[in-house]
């Protein structure tokens, strides 16, 4: 932990007036305020530094103490202890906590939950910030994240573990979640400033395209290849659904592009358990190729019969 | 929209110690939506985060209403671009893994 030059943080010299401090603080606060810099951790940190500098320099008592000891802030502790041992009133409520020199962290050192650096706490004590009526509490910034799901994954309610800033978060994803849908996880965003609440985490779902099924709302669309003979004579086919295979009867004389609707075999409706859209199957009739000479002859005979019947 | 999600505007003014004219101005600029029911004004609970943000910007940083409107537009663009960037980054990672 090292000395922090609060004047430098605000871009001021030591003779700066209260008005100069206020002006510099306002200018930097507008630049680095978490509300104006969403998802920007470095801006948030700079804002904490600026806030801390303002906290000290705009308070006459704190500024006096800071100016008095400056870089020799460690001496202040000894001075305060001596004063305390003499039965005098401790200065400004600071130095209440045991201090141990923890190495040279510089200004990039950590900030506590209230948004103050170790240096600040050493000099002014924990809770050295102003009372809640004057110390601004800021909600931490919100994080945005994307979660990619396959269409098959979005079909069922399932759990996923996300890692956000090194923390594992287990979330339940309800079946039927839409592409582009956003959910909010309260309190999983950035740290608040000055004891303010944590920000929120917003997750946007990105549903990947599926090679077999297309989704429109809660309905699913698929195409099924139908051989010519089944299309002409009728029969049965097995259709794939996300629930497994389904047997379908094919009417004789089924045309290419014929659509069949399977009620309730589509996509589950979001947060309406037991309710699903429909599955619409389009038949794609395959014309046989690579026929043997014998097969071709049979088709010729069929063609003649058809012409004679007209 | 159920009524339990609507908070009377005057209650917001008391809680946040702000003037009702500030809420009206935000409504006029379409920065928040004010719902009127039986001649009473309400703010949807889901808009409280936005309202708090504008209160902080206006009362703590002295940003005027025109500034709030400009900031709102710019923040929407920033958020959109950040989402697009995150999307492209994840797409890029997907290709890099291939």
């Amino acid at each position: 932990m090292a000395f922090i030059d609060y004047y430098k943080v605000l871009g001021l010299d030591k003779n700066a007036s209260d008005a100069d401090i206020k002006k510099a603080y306002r200018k930097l606060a507008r630049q680095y305020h978490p509300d104006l810099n969403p998802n920007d951790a470095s801006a948030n940190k700079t804002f904490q530094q600026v806030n801390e500098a303002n906290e000290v320099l705009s308070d006459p008592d704190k500024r006096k103490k800071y100016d008095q000891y400056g870089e020799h802030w460690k001496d202040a502790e000894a001075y305060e202890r001596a004063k305390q041992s003499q039965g005098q009133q401790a200065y400004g409520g600071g130095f209440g906590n045991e201090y141990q020199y923890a190495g040279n962290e510089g200004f990039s050192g950590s900030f506590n939950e209230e948004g103050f650096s170790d240096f600040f706490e050493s000099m002014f004590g924990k809770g050295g910030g102003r009372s809640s009526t004057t110390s601004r509490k800021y909600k931490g910034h919100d994080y945005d994240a994307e979660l990619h799901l396959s269409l098959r994954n979005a079909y069922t309610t399932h759990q996923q573990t996300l890692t956000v800033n090194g923390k594992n978060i287990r979330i339940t994803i309800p079946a039927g979640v839409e592409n582009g849908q956003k959910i909010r996880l309260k309190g999983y965003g950035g740290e608040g400033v000055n004891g303010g609440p944590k920000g929120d985490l917003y997750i946007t779902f990105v549903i990947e395209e599926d090679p077999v099924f297309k989704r429109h709302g809660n309905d699913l669309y698929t195409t099924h290849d139908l051989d010519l003979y089944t299309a002409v004579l009728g029969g049965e086919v097995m259709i794939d659904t996300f629930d497994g295979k389904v047997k379908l009867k094919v009417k004789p004389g089924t045309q290419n592009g014929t659509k069949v609707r399977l009620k309730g075999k589509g996509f589950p409706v979001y947060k309406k358990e037991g309710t699903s859209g429909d599955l619409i199957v389009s038949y794609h009739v395959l014309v046989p190729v690579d026929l043997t000479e014998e097969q071709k002859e049979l088709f010729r005979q069929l063609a003649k019969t058809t012409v004679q019947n007209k | 929209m159920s009524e339990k999600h609507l908070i009377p505007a005057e209650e917001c003014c008391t809680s946040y110690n702000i003037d009702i004219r500030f809420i009206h101005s935000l409504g006029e600029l379409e920065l928040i939506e004010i719902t009127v029911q039986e001649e009473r004004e309400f703010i949807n609970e889901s808009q409280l985060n936005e309202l708090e943000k504008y209160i902080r910007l206006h009362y703590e940083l002295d940003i005027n209403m025109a500034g709030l409107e400009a900031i709102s537009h710019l923040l929407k663009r920033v958020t959109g671009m950040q989402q697009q960037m995150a999307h492209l980054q994840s797409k890029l990672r997907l290709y890099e893994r291939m």
Side-chain angles (χ1 to χ4, degrees):
Chain A
M1 182 172 57
F3 166 70
I4 299 169
D5 189 339
Y6 290 136
Y7 290 100
K8 204 173 165 184
V9 171
L10 294 182
L12 299 167
D13 59 42
K14 287 199 171 182
N15 301 318
S17 65
D18 289 348
D20 292 337
I21 292 166
K22 195 176 175 185
K23 193 177 164 189
Y25 168 70
R26 192 143 281 177
K27 191 177 176 191
L28 291 167
R30 280 178 178 169
Q31 193 174 342
Y32 295 106
H33 195 283
D35 283 329
L36 302 175
N37 295 274
N39 300 316
D40 188 342
S42 72
N44 195 18
K45 197 168 182 177
T46 307
F47 179 71
Q48 285 179 315
Q49 294 169 354
V50 168
N51 211 35
E52 182 174 306
N54 180 59
E55 183 75 37
V56 173
L57 299 184
S58 64
D59 180 321
D61 284 346
K62 287 198 183 86
R63 187 178 179 187
K64 189 178 166 194
K65 186 176 181 181
Y66 178 78
D67 287 344
Q68 189 179 352
Y69 295 108
E71 290 180 70
H72 308 290
W73 56 274
K74 274 193 280 180
D75 297 340
E77 184 187 25
Y79 174 76
E80 291 294 331
R81 277 216 200 102
K83 264 171 76 175
Q84 275 181 334
S85 68
Q86 286 167 17
Q88 293 175 348
Q89 186 84 30
Y91 185 91
F95 303 103
N97 54 329
E98 280 291 312
Y99 167 69
Q100 284 185 315
Y101 186 61
N104 186 16
E105 287 179 347
F107 207 174
S108 59
S110 60
F111 287 82
N112 65 11
E113 284 180 3
E114 291 178 337
F116 293 112
S117 69
D118 299 341
F119 170 77
F120 179 91
E121 287 208 336
S122 289
M123 192 147 193
F124 301 105
K126 281 196 174 181
R130 293 175 204 177
S131 65
S132 58
T133 52
T134 52
S135 177
R136 305 292 187 204
K137 288 184 177 182
Y138 297 101
K139 187 188 170 201
H141 49 80
D142 296 336
Y143 290 152
D144 283 301
E146 271 188 1
L147 185 59
H148 289 247
L149 295 176
S150 66
L151 193 62
R152 192 171 285 273
N153 277 340
Y155 182 82
T156 48
T157 298
H158 66 286
Q159 292 196 315
Q160 281 216 3
T161 304
L162 309 173
T163 307
V164 180
N165 284 345
K167 276 185 200 166
N168 284 340
I169 306 166
R170 198 164 171 77
I171 59 166
T172 300
I173 301 166
V177 69
E178 291 263 8
N179 185 39
Q181 192 172 331
K182 210 177 231 192
I183 60 165
R184 182 177 73 147
L185 299 180
K186 206 172 159 69
Y188 283 98
E191 291 289 338
V193 179
N194 292 349
K198 284 184 172 185
D200 303 328
L201 169 64
Y202 287 89
I203 298 174
T204 307
F205 292 101
V206 179
I207 314 290
E208 310 283 4
E209 294 270 320
D210 188 88
V212 178
F213 296 99
K214 297 274 172 270
R215 180 186 180 188
H216 291 292
N218 296 315
D219 291 337
L220 281 176
Y221 291 79
T222 189
T223 303
H224 185 82
D225 288 340
L226 197 63
D227 65 74
L228 181 69
Y229 314 106
T230 310
V232 174
L233 303 171
E236 286 178 344
V237 288
M238 297 298 282
I239 305 284
D240 281 322
T241 71
F242 281 138
D243 267 346
K245 287 190 182 296
V246 172
K247 193 188 277 186
L248 264 187
K249 284 194 172 174
V250 181
K251 286 181 189 168
T254 295
Q255 299 294 316
N256 185 42
T258 298
K259 287 184 173 66
V260 180
R261 181 180 286 268
L262 286 104
K263 284 261 177 211
K265 289 288 177 189
F267 223 71
V269 180
Y270 184 71
K271 288 195 171 173
K272 280 191 179 173
E273 214 175 317
T275 315
S276 293
D278 301 336
L279 172 65
I280 293 101
V281 182
S282 294
Y283 288 126
H284 176 232
V285 178
L286 297 172
V287 175
V289 289
D290 300 329
L291 295 174
T292 63
E293 198 44 49
E294 189 187 354
Q295 286 172 322
K296 282 180 187 167
E297 184 50 39
L298 286 169
F299 268 106
R300 280 187 207 105
Q301 285 177 26
L302 181 65
K304 274 182 197 165
T305 322
T306 312
V307 173
Q308 282 166 7
N309 284 347
K310 275 191 177 174
Chain B
M1 196 184 292
S2 73
E3 273 190 35
K4 67 179 177 180
H5 294 132
L6 293 175
I7 299 157
E10 65 264 29
E11 210 172 281
C12 291
C13 292
T14 312
S15 302
Y16 296 117
N17 195 21
I18 54 170
D19 196 314
I20 189 72
R21 283 174 297 183
F22 177 67
I23 290 183
H24 288 160
S25 301
L26 291 177
E28 281 162 20
L29 292 171
E30 296 178 358
L31 295 175
I32 59 165
E33 197 183 322
I34 299 171
T35 307
V36 180
Q37 280 184 7
E38 293 167 2
E39 295 183 7
R40 281 189 78 193
E41 292 169 325
F42 296 89
I43 292 167
N44 196 291
E45 191 186 46
S46 64
Q47 300 222 301
L48 282 187
N49 268 352
E50 282 293 291
L51 176 64
E52 284 176 8
K53 183 173 82 181
Y54 293 125
I55 290 170
R56 288 193 294 268
L57 294 175
H58 183 66
Y59 288 97
E60 293 173 10
L61 297 184
D62 273 352
I63 294 171
N64 65 17
M65 300 311 293
L68 292 185
E69 193 179 17
I71 285 168
S72 164
H73 290 307
L74 290 172
L75 280 179
K76 273 181 198 156
R77 282 182 63 189
V78 168
T79 311
M81 285 194 285
Q82 281 176 340
Q83 280 176 355
Q84 195 183 11
M85 195 165 72
H87 179 68
L88 291 173
Q89 277 172 340
S90 65
K91 217 170 180 178
L92 184 65
R93 276 198 294 274
L94 196 74
Y95 286 121
E96 281 173 343
R97 280 202 295 267
M98 283 166 74

